[in-house]
């Protein structure tokens, strides 16, 4: 039986964001908001949209990370599938960034490996406009397209689903490590404790049963 993600947007916003809809801390702040529901990247200054671009994010197999990140690196001349510019993000469980593409006809489709693809002319404009340290807020479905399932996760898994589980386990006083989206031994041990408390088979992995008891699925 397939379980469709019903409360995904609200869970992601509640657990992965601490701000309200206005993200700028100061009137002259510049920041980026990436909306995976519409596949658009918006640049804000003084909490007003100054630029908008079409993008291509990840798919259900390789979803784009959801959350609050920072531009931690900028480089040019990558070429090939990375296009003409790269803006790296501090996603804790992998190398993700905003970059160009050699396949501009695919812009607008969910086809990347988790990064944000832009047309080269657009990413070049963004590159010149955005300094290192700029905040990037990514909102959307954790599965990449909004129609997928909560996949089983276990030791070695990475991503937003791991992050959500870590958050819930920490709130329950069972997990004491970082909420970094990396399913390490500490996360596995916390899951085992949760399973014991709920009289479940102690596997150390998370399936639909655990997601439901953690309150992540209805």
């Amino acid at each position: 039986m397939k379980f469709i993600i019903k409360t995904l947007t609200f869970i992601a916003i509640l657990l992965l964001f601490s701000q309200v809809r206005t993200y700028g801390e100061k009137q002259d702040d510049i920041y980026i908001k990436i909306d995976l529901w519409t596949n658009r990247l918006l640049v804000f200054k003084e909490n007003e949209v100054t630029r908008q671009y079409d993008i291509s994010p990840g798919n259900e197999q390789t979803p784009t990370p959801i959350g609050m990140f920072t531009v931690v690196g900028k480089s040019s001349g990558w070429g090939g599938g990375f296009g003409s510019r790269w803006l790296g993000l501090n996603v804790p469980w992998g190398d993700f960034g905003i970059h160009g593409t050699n396949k501009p006809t695919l812009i607008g489709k969910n086809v990347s490996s988790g990064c944000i693809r832009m047309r080269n002319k657009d990413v070049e404009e963004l590159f010149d406009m955005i300094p290192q340290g700029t905040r990037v807020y990514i909102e959307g479905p954790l599965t990449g397209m909004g129609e997928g399932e909560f996949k089983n996760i276990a030791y070695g898994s990475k991503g937003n689903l791991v992050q959500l589980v870590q958050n819930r386990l920490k709130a329950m006083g069972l997990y004491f490590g970082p909420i970094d989206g990396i399913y390490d031994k500490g996360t596995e041990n916390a899951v085992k404790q949760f399973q014991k408390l709920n009289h479940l088979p102690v596997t150390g992995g998370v399936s639909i049963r655990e997601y439901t008891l953690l309150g992540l699925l209805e």
Side-chain angles (χ1 to χ4, degrees):
M1 178 179 180
K2 292 186 177 181
F3 289 76
I4 303 300
I5 300 175
K6 298 178 180 179
T7 56
L8 186 56
T9 308
F10 303 105
I11 293 171
I13 291 174
L14 178 63
L15 299 183
L16 302 180
F17 289 88
S18 60
Q19 286 91 343
V20 293
R21 300 297 294 182
T22 299
Y23 299 120
E25 295 177 0
K26 299 176 181 178
Q27 276 286 306
D28 59 351
D29 274 353
I30 185 168
Y31 61 89
I32 293 172
K33 175 185 172 184
I34 297 173
D35 186 344
L36 302 184
W37 301 108
T38 60
N39 286 349
R40 299 282 284 170
L41 183 151
L42 297 87
V43 179
F44 284 79
K45 187 168 185 181
E46 297 181 358
N47 289 320
E48 298 289 336
V49 177
T50 60
R51 294 287 192 282
Q52 296 189 47
Y53 304 101
D54 295 320
I55 62 164
S56 283
N59 55 37
E60 289 188 21
Q61 287 70 46
T62 55
T64 295
I66 303 297
M68 300 179 293
F69 306 108
T70 302
V71 174
V72 292
K74 296 174 61 179
S75 58
S76 60
W78 281 45
F82 292 98
S84 58
R85 299 289 187 275
W86 166 269
L87 292 90
L89 305 177
N90 63 334
V91 179
W93 60 85
D95 294 325
F96 296 90
I98 303 166
H99 63 79
T101 181
N102 60 353
K103 298 179 180 178
T105 58
L106 296 180
I107 293 296
K109 300 178 181 180
N110 294 63
V111 294
S112 85
S113 296
C115 289
I116 300 297
R117 295 183 188 176
M118 301 177 66
R119 295 182 179 89
N120 285 331
K121 65 180 180 63
D122 291 342
V123 77
E124 288 167 11
E125 184 176 83
L126 184 71
F127 187 92
D128 293 338
M129 183 190 322
I130 297 299
Q132 190 163 313
T134 297
R135 289 161 295 141
V136 178
Y137 302 86
I138 305 179
E139 297 180 355
L142 300 183
T143 61
M145 298 178 72
E147 299 176 354
E149 301 174 350
F150 270 71
K151 299 176 181 178
N152 292 354
I153 56 176
Y155 178 75
S157 297
K158 296 179 181 180
N160 280 123
L161 291 177
V162 177
Q163 202 174 25
L164 290 175
V165 169
Q166 289 173 330
N167 187 294
R168 287 299 173 93
L169 292 171
K170 176 161 280 193
M172 294 175 180
L174 299 176
Y175 176 66
F176 303 97
I179 301 174
D180 58 5
I182 301 172
Y183 206 122
D184 57 7
K185 283 296 182 182
T187 305
E188 183 181 56
N189 289 336
V191 169
K192 287 180 177 180
Q193 291 182 58
F194 175 80
Q195 290 169 332
K196 288 178 182 178
L197 289 171
N198 287 275
H199 308 290
L200 301 175
V202 182
T203 64
V206 176
S207 65
I208 295 300
R209 177 180 51 208
E210 283 79 14
Y211 284 128
T212 302
L213 288 173
L214 284 166
L216 297 173
L217 283 175
E218 291 184 342

